Amino acid sequence: MTNPTTTTPSPTGFAPLAIQRIRGAQKLNRLAIYAIYVAIVAFIIFGTFASMKAYRDSDVLYMLFYYLPYVLVGLTVPITLYNAFIILRYRLNQPSMVAISIGLAVILTLVSLLFSLSGWLWLGIAAWMGAAFLFSANFKRFFKFIDEHPHGTPDA
């Protein structure tokens, strides 16, 4: 027996289950963005301490400065891939935009890792960060449209 609330379309034209999945993806994307903010703050704080004369010989501070931001942003990669799937599945953005953002991030990260271009790894990580912010804008636009047009028909 099916639940009628998940199969009947809402007035917006989207099934309630689809809106629920998109809201869940939006919450995960917020979590990824918070992890990115923490990575930026960790980079600034530990970089500042690692550059101070008193702490220059501290291996722990250098490791936190160098690796913690990469790890935090790396943890957001599965979330970003899931969000890309949701955005593609429900056509919240053009497939070419999603392919470019994810493809560029994957290519930059893999090339820098495969060819030991450690000076380029930050560029791949920055591309992953940008994808999370792009998807955040997609979710905001979608829910703004849903709120402004409750019956799913845009004004002409």
Side-chain angles (χ1 to χ4, degrees):
M1 180 172 219
T2 60
N3 187 354
T5 61
T6 59
T7 56
T8 53
S10 69
T12 61
F14 280 90
L17 181 60
I19 292 178
Q20 199 174 23
R21 283 186 182 150
I22 296 169
R23 283 208 191 276
Q26 184 183 29
K27 288 178 185 176
L28 282 175
N29 194 55
R30 271 194 220 116
L31 179 69
I33 288 176
Y34 291 147
I36 289 168
Y37 287 149
V38 169
I40 292 170
V41 169
F43 179 79
I44 292 169
I45 290 173
F46 293 123
T48 302
F49 282 129
S51 68
M52 290 180 172
K53 196 172 200 175
Y55 300 112
R56 279 198 187 138
D57 296 333
S58 175
D59 289 337
V60 174
L61 274 177
Y62 179 75
M63 293 294 203
L64 287 172
F65 160 67
Y66 191 75
Y67 291 110
L68 184 62
Y70 287 131
V71 169
L72 287 171
V73 175
L75 291 174
T76 68
V77 170
I79 296 171
T80 304
L81 291 174
Y82 173 74
N83 288 337
F85 171 74
I86 293 294
I87 287 171
L88 284 174
R89 169 68 179 93
Y90 295 109
R91 304 246 183 227
L92 302 182
N93 198 353
Q94 297 174 357
S96 61
M97 289 297 293
V98 176
I100 286 173
S101 63
I102 295 296
L104 184 67
V106 167
I107 288 170
L108 285 171
T109 305
L110 286 179
V111 165
S112 61
L113 290 174
L114 289 175
F115 296 109
S116 299
L117 301 172
S118 60
W120 283 39
L121 187 57
W122 66 270
L123 195 56
I125 296 299
W128 283 110
M129 292 166 61
F133 285 100
L134 172 72
F135 295 160
S136 174
N138 289 332
F139 291 132
K140 284 180 186 176
R141 268 196 318 260
F142 172 74
F143 286 114
K144 182 180 176 186
F145 174 79
I146 293 293
D147 291 340
E148 288 177 359
H149 307 287
H151 298 293
T153 55
D155 297 333

